Structures are given as C-alpha cells and as structure tokens.
Amino acid sequence: LDPSYQSELAQESTTKSWLEQATKPKTALLSGFHPLAIGDKLIYRSYQGVHCVGLGNSKPELVWEWKTDVSLDDLIRQRQSYDPTNQTVISWAQQYLSVAPSLLYDNTTQGTMSTDGAYLYLIEDIAVPPPPITPDGRAIMINRDQQSTPSVQLQPWIRHNRLTALDLAKEGKLDWSLPTIKDHESTEAPFTDTFFLGAPLPLGDRLYVLAEANAEIRLLCLDPANKGALDWSQPLCTVESRKLTEDPVRRTQAVHLAYGEGILVCPTNAGAIIGVDLLTRSLLWAHSYQELSDNPVPMVQAFPAGRGFRQYSVQPLTQPTWASSAPVIKDGRVVFTAPDGDSVHCLNLRDGTLAWKERRAGDLYLAGVYRGKVLLAGRDVCRALNLEDGTEVWKAETGMPSGRGIANATTYFLPLKSGEVWAIDIDTGRILGKSRSPRGEVPGNLIFHEGDVVSQGITKLTVYPQLAVREREISESLVKDPTNPKGLLDRGELRLHQGSLRSAVEDLRASLKHDLAADLQPRARAKLYEALAELLEQDFAANEELLKEFETLSVLPSPPGESDTARAAREHEQRDRQARLLRLLARGRESQGRLTEAFMAYMEFANLGRDELIALP
C-alpha cells in the first residue's frame, strides 16, 4: 500500500553521502532508530533531532520537532564551529566508513528513546563517536598512526553525553537535561564527565538508568519531576578495559534495562549482567558471559569486590556480535544477548544462575520471547529455541533482515532486504504470508499502532495503513456503494499488493469506468500498468490478450500546463515503460518461437538504451 506519511531522516548532502557509503556492504543493515507511539502521536529520531507526528487524522502531519546538538546533520551544518580544520569529525567518519560503517547508522544509544507518558527521554551524544582518546585529549585514528585534537566545542562531548527530558504536554519543549551547566563548572557535581548508557526505564514516579564515570558503572535513580535530581545510586562494577572513551562501539550500543518480580536486570555491555533488588537497593546476583581464554585479562570487577567474577578475556571489537536488544523477562527467566558476547543466555531471574546458553550461529538479534519460544533473527534464517532448555524448535529460511520485527499473539512479522515483510507462525515457523512494498522500498524497524504500520529504516521513516484494517474500511465503503470508484481503486491497489493480479485488474478497470476523480486517474492507470506488467511477466502466452492494453498504458500523454521539470520526469518514465514493453515483447515472442518478431523487439530495445542506461524491474 502507498504510505500515508514518509520522511527523509537526513537533510545534509554530506550526511546522505556517508549513509550511502555505509550501506554499500552486503550485510544486514539494521537502523539504530526505534520509533515510539504514544496515544495518537508517533515520535521518532532522525539525523537532525526528534520529530512528533499526529496519527489521529486521516493524513498524518508533523506536530513538532526538536533539534539535537552534535547530530550528524548538525555536525555538518555547523562544521566551521565544530570542526574548523576538517581534521576531526570528517576524518573520524572516513575512518569508520572503511572499518566499521554501522557506527554511523546503528547507534542505539542515541536512537532508542523512552517515555512515562509525560516526558520523552533520550540520550544526546556526538553522532560520530571519537576514536580512543589519549590522556591529553587527542583522538587516536583507527587504521593509521595519526592523532587529531578536537576543537574546543567538541571537547566536552568527548568526556560525556547528555540525558534529556522533553515535555510532551508542551510540544516537546526542553524541560531538563543532565549534566547541567553546574556540573560542567564543578568537579563535585554528581554528573561531571558522566556517560548515560541508554534511555532510562520509567518505573512508578522514578527513572532508572545506568551511567559510567571514571570507569565505574552505577545504577542511578532519578526524580523526573524534580529536573532529574539524583534520588540514590548504587555502584555495580568497574570497567578495567574498553572504557567508553576508548571504545566507540560500546559507546554506540545502548544498555537496555528490564524489570520483573521486583528485580531490575542491568546489562553492562562490558562482560557482565547484574540483578538488583529495587526494594533493598542491593545486588542480588552477577553473571559474566565472557568466554574464558588461556591468557585472561580482567574486564569488569563487581561490587562488593570479588563477588561472582573470575578473570575473562576481552578482544577489541570492530563490529558488535549481536545487534542491540533488551533482555526479556518471562516465566521466571531472563533471556539476553550482548553486543560483546557470542551466545544467547537464559538465566534464572531469582538468583542469576545459568539455565542454558546457545552459541550464536549466524544470528543477528534477539527478536523476543513468545509462547515459550526464544526467537532469533539471523542473516538468512529465523529460528526458535525452547525457553525451558534452549533446544531448537524450528528454523525457517527467510533471507537477510532489514530491521527488527514485531509480533502479535501468534505471528512474528520480519522485515527483509528483499523489500518484503514475512509473517511467520511462532509455534511452527511456517511462513504464513509475504507482503511486499509496492515501490520496492526496504522496510526497517517495525511497530504496529492503531491501524498503522510504522517502518523506520536507515534513511526513511514510513507509515503504512495495516492491511487488515485497510481491507475492512474498503469493504465497508463498497458494501454501501459497489460502484464507488475510489473504493474500487483502493481495493485494486490492495489486491495488487497481495498478488491477486486478475482481481486487481478488474477493480482498477472498473474504477476508471465509473467517473473516478481526475486527480486519481493517473494513480489508477499506474497501478493498472503494474498489474498488467506482472501478469505478462508471469505468463506471456496466457495473458497475451492484455498486450494491447499494456501498450496503451505505456504511453504517458502530456498534461496541459506541464512544467519543464514535470516534462523531464514524464519523459524519463516514458522511456522506462517503453523499455519494459520491448523487453516483455522480445522475451514473450522468443518463448513462443516467433523469433523474427523477438529479434525486432530486441533491436528496438537495444536502440532505446543506446545513449543512456534504462531502468528495468
């Protein structure tokens, strides 16, 4: 279905160029941006800031937006201030594009937000994370012996990030942020040189968030109604290697907290996951997931000293092993994957003991725990493990994911790089259906909300109407008036999307015969053209009677008052349609043994593309 709303996430040409380069590798491209739906509002992050779209009307519209500092677009737009010599941010980005391109688009520390319904909480950080920093503030380049000194404007962002709260009742107006100006001026302030490791988890009237300062990770309890004032804090562990100023990968992978049965589960992305009793504010357990090696190097040390930890080896990362995901608490178990781990782990929630673990086998991310099954999305398969013992229940070949999916009571919806969303039965792994984008657009991270499907990828956010909801609305309109031309057009589009091509052709023809509004006629003819093309491509001989109608629709007449820009676009589309017609005709006649006619069509096709490349499906 055509989108009801779509937005480009990057505006600056340099940002777009970086993203284009970063997404060239033939790997799974998972965006770090995760949209939120709150009531009738959709809130999402871009490479500029935060945007709020109203979904309550028939056509979604932008309600408010808030620009963030040191976002990708902001770094480019203000580069004379941030990077006057072009030797810091630009150089860092070029380094990452060569060795770890996903750091530019899979930054879940920035891309993940949270809300308690009153405020929106997010992390602001420099969008191009600095390489390891020397004690005197110089950045060590990644793949050559080179150092750069960040500008005065960038120096504070090297040492900390910022937790920000926007007031939803005041159209996203800034309410408070940490660190405060006072923190910058005093070495005794509570948030001096602090990194917040992810968006906070709202529970009751408090916020819980992990923060790292001076190589120590602490659990903070904040009061959002009092400008984020610190209520209490609990030290969890120290980081003895891969500090945030030394590890851009860990800096961009969010730590997601989870809560259940009075226990707050705190990953660290630094080798350990810790359970905290919120009632007593005490550590219940600590579990290390790092693999043992012959030459162990300490990674973390828990508080109190020595509790539950041995010496573990940690290798520097160029890319995370698992894509970021939150721990899942279900039936007294905690299931989690860590960007610096190599297995999916299942722990007992009460004491943190290991129930089972399964090594990563081409898996990309933890898709969730549903109906007693742990779903894992991989490079070309989706599989399910038994929550009880970790044994594999089923495996389905899917192709490469393009985002994080979503589930309902019985079905998991997986977005794929092929431009499709597959519906997978959670119990059996059977493929229930495949929905493809009518424009060939690749879906991203998905959410369902009030009859809409929201997809946020690396470069675009798109809102589509849910098929079931849209189908019901169309059916109701046609029950009232079976010849309603707009209803016939909508049903024809829906049937085209579902692959019911013959039925789609009938509806689209009927819509054009029943006085369809003039502004909708080009859309109906374009959809009819697509339906006829697909039928001819599937079976030319069986659908040859459609060829004359297809030839007619391949011609785009010039409308009155056409501008030069519109004429150029129409002529370009006309050439593409003519090329598609000739290709279909040549292959069709060849399949029928009418070789002379096939040869003539091939010659026309060759002449058509003599001076320029022709786009073909």
Side-chain angles (χ1 to χ4, degrees):
L1 294 178
D2 287 333
S4 57
Y5 179 85
Q6 191 168 69
S7 175
E8 295 281 348
L9 300 179
Q11 297 300 317
E12 296 295 321
S13 59
T14 300
T15 304
K16 293 179 180 180
S17 175
W18 285 349
L19 294 174
E20 183 180 359
Q21 295 176 63
T23 54
K24 281 183 178 179
K26 295 181 179 180
T27 59
L29 304 174
L30 305 178
S31 171
F33 290 136
H34 295 264
L36 282 177
I38 309 169
D40 63 350
K41 301 292 192 297
L42 171 69
I43 299 179
Y44 65 96
R45 288 199 73 162
S46 71
Y47 302 104
Q48 311 160 63
V50 180
H51 312 265
C52 176
V53 174
L55 298 178
N57 301 322
S58 58
K59 184 174 178 59
E61 295 180 349
L62 183 68
V63 177
W64 56 261
E65 57 186 1
W66 189 78
K67 304 296 185 182
T68 56
D69 292 333
V70 291
S71 65
L72 272 181
D73 273 353
D74 185 52
L75 287 171
I76 297 303
R77 192 178 299 114
Q78 305 290 338
R79 61 184 163 197
Q80 290 304 315
S81 173
Y82 288 131
D83 191 11
T85 64
N86 276 356
Q87 294 300 310
T88 48
V89 173
I90 301 295
S91 297
W92 298 350
Q94 291 171 346
Q95 293 286 318
Y96 291 133
L97 286 171
S98 65
V99 297
S102 66
L103 266 68
L104 297 182
Y105 59 80
D106 187 16
N107 187 332
T108 52
T109 303
Q110 292 189 75
T112 307
M113 303 172 290
S114 62
T115 182
D116 55 11
Y119 299 97
L120 179 75
Y121 305 104
L122 60 140
I123 304 298
E124 292 183 84
D125 197 4
I126 184 169
V128 182
I133 301 298
T134 63
D136 59 356
R138 289 178 294 170
I140 302 172
M141 304 310 285
I142 297 170
N143 60 5
R144 63 176 182 264
D145 186 17
Q146 181 180 348
Q147 296 180 348
S148 63
T149 302
S151 64
V152 174
Q153 290 80 2
L154 285 181
Q155 283 287 349
W157 292 102
I158 303 298
R159 302 187 303 271
H160 76 259
N161 60 19
R162 190 160 66 197
L163 170 60
T164 294
L166 305 182
D167 192 333
L168 294 176
K170 298 180 180 179
E171 296 192 337
K173 181 180 178 181
L174 175 66
D175 194 78
W176 53 264
S177 64
L178 303 174
T180 64
I181 298 299
K182 181 180 178 181
D183 292 328
H184 297 312
E185 296 173 348
S186 171
T187 57
E188 303 299 323
F191 304 113
T192 302
D193 293 346
T194 294
F195 290 95
F196 297 95
L197 302 186
L201 176 66
L203 289 174
D205 60 354
R206 292 293 185 267
L207 301 177
Y208 297 89
V209 63
L210 291 194
E212 182 174 327
N214 299 318
E216 178 182 284
I217 296 179
R218 302 177 71 91
L219 171 63
L220 308 182
C221 177
L222 308 178
D223 183 356
N226 190 22
K227 303 298 182 183
L230 180 64
D231 195 353
W232 55 265
S233 71
Q234 167 67 52
L236 299 183
C237 62
T238 57
V239 181
E240 299 187 12
S241 65
R242 288 181 52 217
K243 300 176 178 65
L244 282 183
T245 55
E246 301 170 358
D247 189 345
V249 174
R250 192 163 76 86
R251 182 168 178 159
T252 57
Q253 295 298 304
V255 169
H256 305 287
L257 303 180
Y259 176 79
E261 300 180 23
I263 298 173
L264 188 66
V265 176
C266 306
T268 63
N269 291 357
I273 184 169
I274 298 167
V276 177
D277 186 329
L278 279 190
L279 183 62
T280 62
R281 305 178 190 174
S282 61
L283 275 66
L284 286 180
W285 49 262
H287 173 80
S288 179
Y289 49 80
Q290 292 288 315
E291 305 293 337
L292 286 168
S293 78
D294 295 332
N295 299 299
V297 177
M299 175 65 178
V300 295
Q301 180 70 40
F303 291 101
R307 176 174 177 170
F309 283 88
R310 293 178 288 174
Q311 302 292 299
Y312 290 87
S313 171
V314 178
Q315 300 299 323
L317 293 177
T318 55
Q319 300 275 32
T321 54
W322 292 93
S324 177
S325 61
V328 179
I329 297 176
K330 190 75 172 178
D331 299 336
R333 298 286 180 86
V334 180
V335 180
F336 76 96
T337 57
D340 58 328
D342 201 40
S343 300
V344 53
H345 293 249
C346 180
L347 310 180
N348 293 301
L349 176 61
R350 302 308 305 179
D351 58 13
T353 55
L354 180 67
W356 55 264
K357 71 175 182 178
E358 172 75 5
R359 288 190 69 85
R360 182 169 168 264
D363 306 304
L364 293 171
Y365 62 85
L366 172 62
V369 179
Y370 311 99
R371 302 173 68 86
K373 297 171 185 63
V374 178
L375 298 192
L376 302 173
R379 292 188 183 91
D380 50 16
V381 300
C382 183
R383 62 185 183 128
L385 309 180
N386 190 312
L387 176 61
E388 186 64 29
D389 58 14
T391 56
E392 188 171 278
V393 179
W394 54 258
K395 179 187 291 186
E397 294 185 2
T398 57
M400 190 172 289
S402 56
R404 296 161 177 87
I406 193 72
N408 62 19
T410 61
T411 308
Y412 185 76
F413 298 89
L414 178 67
L416 298 173
K417 285 186 72 175
S418 61
E420 299 172 307
V421 175
W422 284 20
I424 304 173
D425 185 281
I426 292 173
D427 287 333
T428 66
R430 186 167 64 91
I431 308 303
L432 302 176
K434 303 175 184 180
S435 297
R436 56 187 175 82
S437 167
R439 301 180 180 182
E441 294 178 349
V442 177
N445 299 326
L446 301 179
I447 62 171
F448 295 157
H449 182 67
E450 300 293 336
D452 290 313
V453 179
V454 180
S455 166
Q456 184 161 15
I458 293 172
T459 60
K460 291 180 182 179
L461 176 130
T462 307
V463 180
Y464 297 96
Q466 276 190 46
L467 289 180
V469 175
R470 188 69 179 125
E471 191 169 17
R472 184 171 62 251
E473 293 173 348
I474 293 170
S475 297
E476 290 173 355
S477 71
L478 289 175
V479 166
K480 296 177 182 178
D481 180 6
T483 62
N484 181 335
K486 177 62 165 57
L488 290 167
L489 169 59
D490 290 341
R491 190 172 68 182
E493 285 183 311
L494 182 63
R495 286 174 167 174
L496 173 61
H497 181 76
Q498 294 172 325
S500 301
L501 300 178
R502 281 286 180 181
S503 297
V505 168
E506 293 174 4
D507 280 341
L508 294 167
R509 284 172 175 166
S511 72
L512 290 166
K513 290 179 181 178
H514 287 91
D515 297 324
L516 183 66
D519 61 326
L520 294 177
Q521 289 182 17
R523 175 175 144 198
R525 284 193 290 268
K527 297 298 181 182
L528 181 56
Y529 167 85
E530 287 295 333
L532 295 175
E534 290 198 33
L535 283 168
L536 287 164
E537 286 168 350
Q538 287 180 5
D539 191 334
F540 183 86
N543 296 293
E544 188 176 356
E545 78 278 1
L546 303 175
L547 187 59
K548 186 174 182 180
E549 184 179 8
F550 182 66
E551 289 177 352
T552 301
L553 290 170
S554 297
V555 177
L556 297 175
S558 174
E562 185 179 36
S563 67
D564 291 343
T565 302
R567 182 176 65 255
R570 178 182 56 80
E571 290 174 350
H572 182 78
E573 174 67 16
Q574 176 73 68
R575 287 191 295 273
D576 286 349
R577 290 195 180 192
Q578 185 67 17
R580 191 173 189 180
L581 169 64
L582 291 171
R583 187 200 65 159
L584 274 170
L585 185 60
R587 290 181 176 177
R589 294 305 185 210
E590 184 179 11
S591 68
Q592 293 173 319
R594 298 162 65 173
L595 300 183
T596 301
E597 294 174 67
F599 177 76
M600 296 301 295
Y602 277 126
M603 289 299 296
E604 282 191 66
F605 176 79
N607 290 331
L608 185 67
R610 180 167 50 195
D611 298 323
E612 60 182 303
L613 293 175
I614 300 296
L616 288 176

